[in-house]
Amino acid sequence: MSLYAPEFFAELRLPFLSGTTVGTSYYATPIAGSPLRLQIGFTDTQYRNAYGGLRLTVMHVDRGTIDAVALSFADHGTFRRRQGPLRHRNMPDTFNITLAKPGQPSWEGADFTGLRDAIERYTAVWFPGAWTASEPSRTAGPTAQTAPVPPATRSGARAR
């Protein structure tokens, strides 16, 4: 059974010009000339051939892994609308490559909007301006948060 990783990442419509899929992972250099790279891979579940989300890893070419985050399909509503045999009661928010119809990806019927928006918010931290070529976000997904603003000081001294 095939994971259809290139088709999955194409469906996400990631705007990185240097992005490519190798095996089951997507690799990109979101900002040309930057030493930072992005890797996106699938997160495993306790079930064989079932995936529960994506793991985004920011890597520095000399220093290795800088940061990583796991984005679950459940938290981002990826399979909320999916019906039929691909939405079975034991693992409704995953995709299992052994349940797919022949010639079709097992993530058929997925809604990538929330997942894509979460990827956009995460990569905006590490790769500012890398999403300028893409369409704007359509949702404020479940992981969007506003950072608190520190109180101003009278003396003008920096807070520690």
Side-chain angles (χ1 to χ4, degrees):
M1 282 287 161
S2 176
L3 179 59
Y4 292 97
E7 292 84 356
F8 182 93
F9 292 117
E11 187 79 22
L12 278 174
R13 297 184 327 276
L14 300 173
F16 310 123
L17 297 176
S18 67
T20 188
T21 302
V22 178
T24 61
S25 294
Y26 177 85
Y27 298 91
T29 305
I31 298 176
S34 171
L36 296 180
R37 305 292 187 263
L38 176 67
Q39 176 188 11
I40 304 175
F42 295 93
T43 59
D44 292 325
T45 66
Q46 64 183 353
Y47 302 101
R48 183 182 169 145
N49 296 322
Y51 304 94
L54 298 177
R55 179 177 172 83
L56 284 65
T57 305
V58 175
M59 298 174 290
H60 187 279
V61 294
D62 296 325
R63 298 182 189 137
T65 299
I66 301 293
D67 191 59
V69 65
L71 303 175
S72 76
F73 296 140
D75 288 346
H76 298 92
T78 307
F79 297 113
R80 189 172 294 139
R81 298 182 312 175
R82 188 168 70 177
Q83 299 297 320
L86 295 179
R87 182 166 178 87
H88 48 90
R89 63 179 178 224
N90 292 339
M91 301 178 296
D93 296 315
T94 65
F95 73 85
N96 187 316
I97 63 174
T98 60
L99 298 177
K101 297 175 187 174
Q104 291 186 339
S106 54
W107 40 264
E108 183 178 358
D111 178 1
F112 291 106
T113 306
L115 190 60
R116 185 174 188 270
D117 289 344
I119 293 170
E120 179 178 352
R121 287 189 305 277
Y122 178 76
T123 57
V125 172
W126 294 100
F127 308 100
W131 284 74
T132 56
S134 72
E135 60 189 63
S137 291
R138 292 161 290 189
T139 66
T143 58
Q145 298 177 355
T146 304
V149 177
T153 59
R154 286 187 185 168
S155 65
R158 287 192 324 204
R160 293 185 190 234

